[in-house]
Amino acid sequence: MNETTFIDEKQFLKEYDVTKYDRPSVTVDTIVYSVLDIETDNYRKLPEKELKVLLIKRKDHPYKNSWALPGGFVRINESLENAAYRELREETNVDHIYLEQLYTWGDVSRDPRTRVISSSYMALIDGTKSTIKSGTDSDDVRWFSFKAKVIQENKTIHQQGFKLEKIIEICLKNREVQLTSKIRIVNEMMKEQKGITREVLSSEGLAFDHAKILYYSLERLRAKVEFTDVVFNLMSKKFTLTELQSVYEVILDTKLLTANFRRKIDKYVQETDDYTSNAGHRPAKLYQYKVQNNYEFY
Amino acid sequence: MNETTFIDEKQFLKEYDVTKYDRPSVTVDTIVYSVLDIETDNYRKLPEKELKVLLIKRKDHPYKNSWALPGGFVRINESLENAAYRELREETNVDHIYLEQLYTWGDVSRDPRTRVISSSYMALIDGTKSTIKSGTDSDDVRWFSFKAKVIQENKTIHQQGFKLEKIIEICLKNREVQLTSKIRIVNEMMKEQKGITREVLSSEGLAFDHAKILYYSLERLRAKVEFTDVVFNLMSKKFTLTELQSVYEVILDTKLLTANFRRKIDKYVQETDDYTSNAGHRPAKLYQYKVQNNYEFY
DNA sequence: ATAATAGTGTCTTTCAGACAGTATAGT
DNA sequence: ACTATACTGTCTGAAAGACACTATTAT
């Protein structure tokens, strides 16, 4: 036993010097989702909806002029969550929204500047409340429609498991810009070891590894939408059941059967006395979210 | 426009100086789970099982001599996951196991030394393979039985939502030591804002905010066990269905009906030709994990 | 024979999927 | 009357829950 190690905790902390160690930098990046209407010409038809993501145009190096997820460095005296909220306020003028931590990305070479570890958050915002409207705001904060599709799938079954390789194409589009990225997801499931690897293959106009983070968030959003009531964070105070259904459909990228859908979400909604009007067809009853009594971990 | 900002990305990166900014330190902490048998006296009775967690005794300040989750600082040139694996190897001699990121804890005052952000990982290890056996190894790595119970629950329903407050007592025990912690979980679900707060109330002999991290991991483990096939990472190569059932029961802290359980897990298992023997009662068929063809996101 | 576990059959209820059908504003 | 959407009833089959019952080994 070394005598010199016999110092008490108070003294130890006083002498503690962080600068002795090489430290990574830490950022937060937030995927802000909304589901917004596409304007239509036919006065009787309901507007279609699109899944949107908020991106900002980078004003500085690296990836200058590319688009990126809103986010930035975590300050030494703020929590991760507060950092995410602060960056959202500063960069996009969004506040008081649903925010949830997703995953922390710790690859060594994610960022060309230095070692940067990034915690990603997912935010959901009611489309009608969103103050950032495409085109009307400053040049560098925009909603992009977000579509992902599997363009290649490869399954190899060997001895004691399988390997599933998927190439996914991600399309981010608004009136002026279109960004396309490709990512590879490899899912190896052997007897003993199972693992998943995500890798950006190409990413034009989209900064860092944000394509991969975006796709991860979509997988998570889809999973949450099926098991929880997060969707209501994307709805305005009052909504029709058809609107609610199309939000589900846009996120899950499938069509649902109305009767079954209504049965399933019945417990989450509550009638109001109001109806839609002037729609060129039968008016729909407006509903609101019925606050739940229990808590879902996921 | 400032002329001096017109430098290209290459030059920008060359001149980039990390030390200009205050950076937090980053650690990883891993909750290593196993389900182990308790020895019994009655030769005919099957051994009961217990949920175990691996803790190490801290040799240095802060929290010297307290128990803590295995983990440590992330090095500048290793990924988060590699850091978790390395620390496990170094501290507990555990390798090649199922590892999954859980959550990143970013409160400002988690650590008395300095600002420390910690990514927590969950590891699952087959009880028979575990080289660290309580008592036989070095003094400072031990399996603790892990039990959590809600000792107080308080629900307030107000105007547009509810507030659910739970006090949870966590018990970590091995032959020599017993650690007891209390944490408070507040679940506020208002019309607009929903949020969850986790807070350590007291934690004797358990370092940092590890009580809260432990409980979070238990919630996650329980959720995963119900929807996925992670459990098989806790099983040895061959096992009886009764063993499998007790692993579920120990994790979920409930009794299950055998017939229903077997129906449910049927698709995950595969018969072998072997049976248990010398058990003092009817021998049981041994099964093994049947590798699945699809991939579950959660 | 007995203790203790292993393993199966089946009834009931609940829930998801599919589909057909009726209802109603605005022009 | 027609268009486009709003909303409902019911059949089917799968899965979850409950429970009773039979089978088999070591001592």
Side-chain angles (χ1 to χ4, degrees):
Chain A
M1 286 205 201
N2 191 337
E3 285 286 317
T4 61
T5 62
F6 280 138
I7 57 173
D8 70 2
E9 182 153 344
K10 208 165 169 180
Q11 195 184 342
F12 166 86
L13 291 174
K14 215 165 99 189
E15 291 170 8
Y16 187 83
D17 176 18
V18 257
T19 63
K20 276 195 301 193
Y21 310 98
D22 252 352
R23 279 153 300 138
S25 301
V26 180
T27 61
V28 288
D29 288 304
T30 305
I31 302 100
V32 186
Y33 279 111
S34 195
V35 174
L36 301 178
D37 290 350
I38 309 174
E39 290 103 63
T40 39
D41 37 353
N42 186 338
Y43 79 100
R44 326 186 83 157
K45 272 205 161 168
L46 286 177
E48 275 185 73
K49 289 179 183 291
E50 260 184 351
L51 183 63
K52 301 276 189 177
V53 161
L54 206 56
L55 297 180
I56 63 166
K57 194 171 189 172
R58 287 186 59 80
K59 278 173 287 196
D60 298 313
H61 289 300
Y63 294 101
K64 189 169 173 175
N65 295 322
S66 281
W67 294 84
L69 294 170
F73 290 96
V74 175
R75 296 190 183 152
I76 204 76
N77 54 3
E78 71 184 349
S79 70
L80 287 175
E81 198 175 294
N82 285 347
Y85 273 123
R86 176 181 53 74
E87 294 283 358
L88 278 185
R89 266 196 311 275
E90 288 177 9
E91 296 185 336
T92 70
N93 205 32
V94 167
D95 206 352
H96 299 298
I97 54 172
Y98 176 85
L99 193 67
E100 173 198 337
Q101 192 188 100
L102 286 184
Y103 192 80
T104 302
W105 306 86
D107 280 2
V108 176
S109 315
R110 293 186 55 252
D111 193 304
R113 286 168 292 193
T114 178
R115 174 72 192 280
V116 177
I117 289 169
S118 174
S119 275
S120 52
Y121 279 78
M122 177 167 78
L124 303 180
I125 185 167
D126 152 13
T128 63
K129 210 166 60 181
S130 102
T131 49
I132 319 100
K133 286 187 187 80
S134 191
T136 60
D137 261 63
S138 75
D139 263 10
D140 49 4
V141 186
R142 288 296 174 84
W143 285 116
F144 282 73
S145 76
F146 177 23
K147 274 170 196 156
K149 72 171 178 241
V150 180
I151 57 169
Q152 202 185 313
E153 196 161 351
N154 210 301
K155 192 167 180 174
T156 326
I157 300 178
H158 37 48
Q159 280 281 273
Q160 303 260 344
F162 69 95
K163 182 176 160 183
L164 182 62
E165 183 182 349
K166 277 193 265 185
I167 312 285
I168 285 138
E169 189 181 76
I170 285 174
C171 255
L172 297 158
K173 208 194 287 192
N174 67 18
R175 223 165 298 161
E176 298 104 32
V177 203
Q178 169 163 354
L179 316 174
T180 312
S181 304
K182 287 199 180 102
I183 59 177
R184 178 197 284 130
I185 298 187
V186 181
N187 215 280
E188 202 133 12
M189 181 109 24
M190 309 277 274
K191 189 89 201 180
E192 293 299 304
Q193 203 70 15
K194 53 180 85 179
I196 181 162
T197 333
R198 299 153 197 277
E199 181 191 351
V200 179
L201 296 179
S202 66
S203 193
E204 275 169 47
L206 186 62
F208 305 103
D209 54 357
H210 288 185
K212 158 166 120 174
I213 299 180
L214 266 163
Y215 188 69
Y216 180 87
S217 76
L218 182 60
E219 281 187 290
R220 178 83 147 248
L221 177 61
R222 283 179 176 163
K224 285 211 79 155
V225 152
E226 303 228 59
F227 299 121
T228 74
D229 57 2
V230 268
V231 201
F232 294 97
N233 295 292
L234 294 165
M235 307 304 297
S236 52
K237 219 166 205 124
K238 293 181 180 180
F239 49 83
T240 67
L241 296 184
T242 306
E243 276 178 325
L244 185 60
Q245 185 174 340
S246 19
V247 171
Y248 270 89
E249 289 176 339
V250 159
I251 292 171
L252 299 174
D253 197 24
T254 38
K255 284 283 161 198
L256 303 171
L257 293 174
T258 308
N260 302 345
F261 175 76
R262 287 174 183 226
R263 232 181 11 219
K264 192 169 174 174
I265 52 95
D266 182 66
K267 61 177 171 178
Y268 292 124
V269 295
Q270 201 166 29
E271 284 187 10
T272 70
D273 295 331
D274 302 341
Y275 287 81
T276 55
S277 55
N278 284 357
H281 49 76
R282 177 173 169 181
K285 187 167 267 180
L286 289 169
Y287 285 77
Q288 58 187 137
Y289 174 59
K290 188 200 279 174
V291 180
Q292 299 301 298
N293 281 305
N294 59 326
Y295 149 64
E296 302 149 323
F297 177 70
Y298 263 118
Chain B
M1 287 204 199
N2 190 338
E3 284 288 315
T4 62
T5 63
F6 281 138
I7 57 173
D8 70 2
E9 182 154 345
K10 209 163 168 183
Q11 194 185 343
F12 167 86
L13 292 173
K14 216 165 98 188
E15 290 171 6
Y16 187 83
D17 177 19
V18 257
T19 62
K20 276 195 301 195
Y21 311 97
D22 252 353
R23 279 154 299 140
S25 301
V26 179
T27 61
V28 288
D29 288 304
T30 305
I31 302 99
V32 185
Y33 279 111
S34 197
V35 175
L36 301 176
D37 290 350
I38 310 173
E39 289 102 65
T40 39
D41 37 353
N42 186 338
Y43 78 100
R44 326 186 82 157
K45 272 207 163 167
L46 286 178
E48 276 184 72
K49 289 180 183 288
E50 258 183 352
L51 183 63
K52 300 276 190 179
V53 161
L54 205 57
L55 297 179
I56 64 168
K57 195 172 188 172
R58 288 188 58 80
K59 279 173 288 199
D60 299 313
H61 291 300
Y63 293 103
K64 192 171 174 172
N65 295 323
S66 280
W67 294 85
L69 294 170
F73 290 96
V74 175
R75 294 188 185 155
I76 203 75
N77 54 3
E78 71 184 351
S79 70
L80 286 174
E81 197 175 292
N82 285 346
Y85 274 123
R86 175 181 54 74
E87 294 284 358
L88 278 185
R89 266 196 312 274
E90 287 177 9
E91 296 184 335
T92 70
N93 206 31
V94 166
D95 207 351
H96 299 299
I97 54 171
Y98 176 85
L99 192 68
E100 172 197 339
Q101 193 188 98
L102 284 184
Y103 192 80
T104 301
W105 305 87
D107 280 1
V108 175
S109 315
R110 294 185 54 251
D111 192 305
R113 285 170 291 194
T114 176
R115 174 71 192 280
V116 177
I117 289 169
S118 175
S119 275
S120 53
Y121 280 77
M122 176 167 78
L124 303 180
I125 186 167
D126 150 16
T128 62
K129 211 165 62 181
S130 102
T131 48
I132 322 96
K133 289 187 185 79
S134 192
T136 60
D137 261 64
S138 75
D139 263 9
D140 49 6
V141 186
R142 289 296 174 83
W143 286 115
F144 282 73
S145 77
F146 178 22
K147 274 170 196 155
K149 72 170 179 240
V150 180
I151 58 171
Q152 203 186 310
E153 196 163 349
N154 210 302
K155 190 166 180 174
T156 326
I157 299 178
H158 37 51
Q159 280 280 269
Q160 303 261 343
F162 69 96
K163 182 175 163 183
L164 182 62
E165 182 180 351
K166 278 193 265 185
I167 311 285
I168 285 136
E169 189 181 75
I170 285 173
C171 255
L172 296 156
K173 209 195 285 191
N174 66 18
R175 223 165 298 159
E176 298 104 31
V177 204
Q178 169 161 354
L179 315 174
T180 311
S181 304
K182 287 199 179 102
I183 59 177
R184 178 197 284 132
I185 297 187
V186 181
N187 215 281
E188 201 132 11
M189 182 112 20
M190 308 278 273
K191 189 90 201 179
E192 294 298 305
Q193 204 71 13
K194 54 180 85 180
I196 180 161
T197 332
R198 297 154 197 279
E199 180 191 355
V200 179
L201 296 179
S202 65
S203 191
E204 275 170 47
L206 186 61
F208 306 103
D209 53 357
H210 288 185
K212 154 168 123 172
I213 299 180
L214 266 163
Y215 188 69
Y216 180 87
S217 75
L218 182 60
E219 282 188 290
R220 178 84 147 245
L221 177 61
R222 283 178 175 163
K224 284 212 78 155
V225 152
E226 302 227 61
F227 299 121
T228 74
D229 57 1
V230 268
V231 201
F232 294 96
N233 295 292
L234 294 165
M235 307 304 297
S236 52
K237 217 165 205 124
K238 293 180 180 183
F239 48 83
T240 68
L241 296 184
T242 306
E243 276 179 325
L244 185 61
Q245 184 175 342
S246 17
V247 171
Y248 270 90
E249 289 175 341
V250 159
I251 292 171
L252 299 175
D253 197 24
T254 38
K255 284 284 163 199
L256 303 172
L257 293 174
T258 308
N260 302 345
F261 175 76
R262 288 176 181 224
R263 233 181 11 219
K264 192 170 174 174
I265 52 97
D266 181 66
K267 60 176 171 179
Y268 292 124
V269 296
Q270 200 166 30
E271 284 187 12
T272 70
D273 295 332
D274 302 342
Y275 287 81
T276 55
S277 57
N278 284 358
H281 49 76
R282 175 173 172 181
K285 187 167 269 182
L286 289 168
Y287 286 77
Q288 58 186 131
Y289 174 58
K290 188 200 279 176
V291 181
Q292 300 301 297
N293 282 305
N294 58 326
Y295 149 64
E296 300 148 324
F297 177 70
Y298 263 118

